[in-house]
Amino acid sequence: PEAAPGLGHQQKVPNPVEWLPVLISSKSVFQPSAKSTKGPMYNAESHKAVTNFLCLTCAKPEGLCALCTHEHANHHILQIRRSSYHDVVRERELSKLINTNGIQTYIINSSQVVFLRERPQSRGKSGSGGSRPASGNDLSGGCLSCGRHLHEGLSYCSLGCKVKHCTRGAPIGKRLPPGLELHSKPRDLNYYCL
């Protein structure tokens, strides 16, 4: 990976094959931080002790809370947000790290976001009357992985569904499969460094 410009000691851009599986599968997001809640805490700090950051450089599944981010100075950190009990990230941040083309975005609090994982569907509400497996080039208006109805021209309802479709359900190997790689490397990743 390339070094991010502007960083004092040439921090390398994190490799998506290391952090992407953690991002789409982590179950510790929005849980109390085990590390920050060990000692006494003031009421004013308690909301900061909730895990809602992922250090892409370390790629540890337990994530970080706002009180722990200082321990990851000059690391690339992605904030995970919540929408209707589902984890989302800002599309603007994610698109600098991985190819987000074809993933449906949603506007939440004036930001375009991408859902991290497939969301449960009510029966009869999906684009094809139910969940359907990924199948070649079926572009009938639903997610290529789970069948959720999408806006025209889009292929995936979430990052997790795009990863599942691009990898054909297999674990991510040493290289990103076609469809997930960025076509051009980002110029400035200082945005992510805390």
Side-chain angles (χ1 to χ4, degrees):
E2 298 175 4
L7 293 176
H9 56 279
Q10 298 290 53
Q11 180 72 30
K12 292 196 177 209
V13 175
N15 187 346
V17 299
E18 295 169 4
W19 57 261
L20 186 57
V22 174
L23 178 64
I24 61 175
S25 65
S26 179
K27 302 290 187 220
S28 64
V29 181
F30 294 97
Q31 301 296 320
S33 169
K35 185 175 182 180
S36 294
T37 55
K38 282 183 180 174
M41 185 174 303
Y42 298 104
N43 248 355
E45 292 180 327
S46 62
H47 72 282
K48 294 179 182 178
V50 174
T51 303
N52 69 326
F53 292 94
L54 179 67
C55 178
L56 304 181
T57 306
C58 297
K60 293 187 178 175
E62 56 272 5
L64 305 169
C65 70
L67 299 172
C68 296
T69 57
H70 71 280
E71 297 173 5
H72 296 262
N74 293 323
H75 286 193
H76 299 283
I77 295 180
L78 186 66
Q79 185 174 10
I80 302 169
R81 300 161 193 282
R82 261 286 149 97
S83 174
S84 303
Y85 302 102
H86 297 286
D87 300 338
V88 300
V89 293
R90 286 185 177 162
E91 195 276 338
R92 172 176 64 120
E93 297 171 9
L94 191 60
S95 66
K96 291 181 180 182
L97 299 164
I98 193 164
N99 182 344
T100 59
N101 291 341
I103 303 175
Q104 180 145 338
T105 61
Y106 300 85
I107 304 290
I108 298 173
N109 295 331
S110 356
S111 295
Q112 282 193 318
V113 299
V114 169
F115 283 94
L116 291 182
R117 292 175 281 286
E118 175 184 345
R119 294 168 294 143
Q121 301 181 59
S122 302
R123 290 194 160 194
K125 297 270 184 177
S126 72
S128 61
S131 183
R132 65 181 162 97
S135 59
N137 293 327
D138 183 10
L139 298 175
S140 61
C143 176
L144 294 177
S145 183
C146 72
R148 178 179 285 277
H149 181 73
L150 302 172
H151 292 292
E152 189 174 331
L154 297 171
S155 303
Y156 311 101
C157 68
S158 67
L159 176 62
C161 280
K162 182 170 184 174
V163 169
K164 183 177 179 182
H165 185 258
C166 290
T167 61
R168 294 176 171 68
I172 295 176
K174 294 183 187 272
R175 294 183 54 112
L176 280 179
L180 292 171
E181 293 178 325
L182 283 176
H183 296 292
S184 61
K185 298 292 182 191
R187 294 176 147 241
D188 183 16
L189 285 176
N190 288 337
Y191 183 81
Y192 299 100
C193 296
L194 294 178

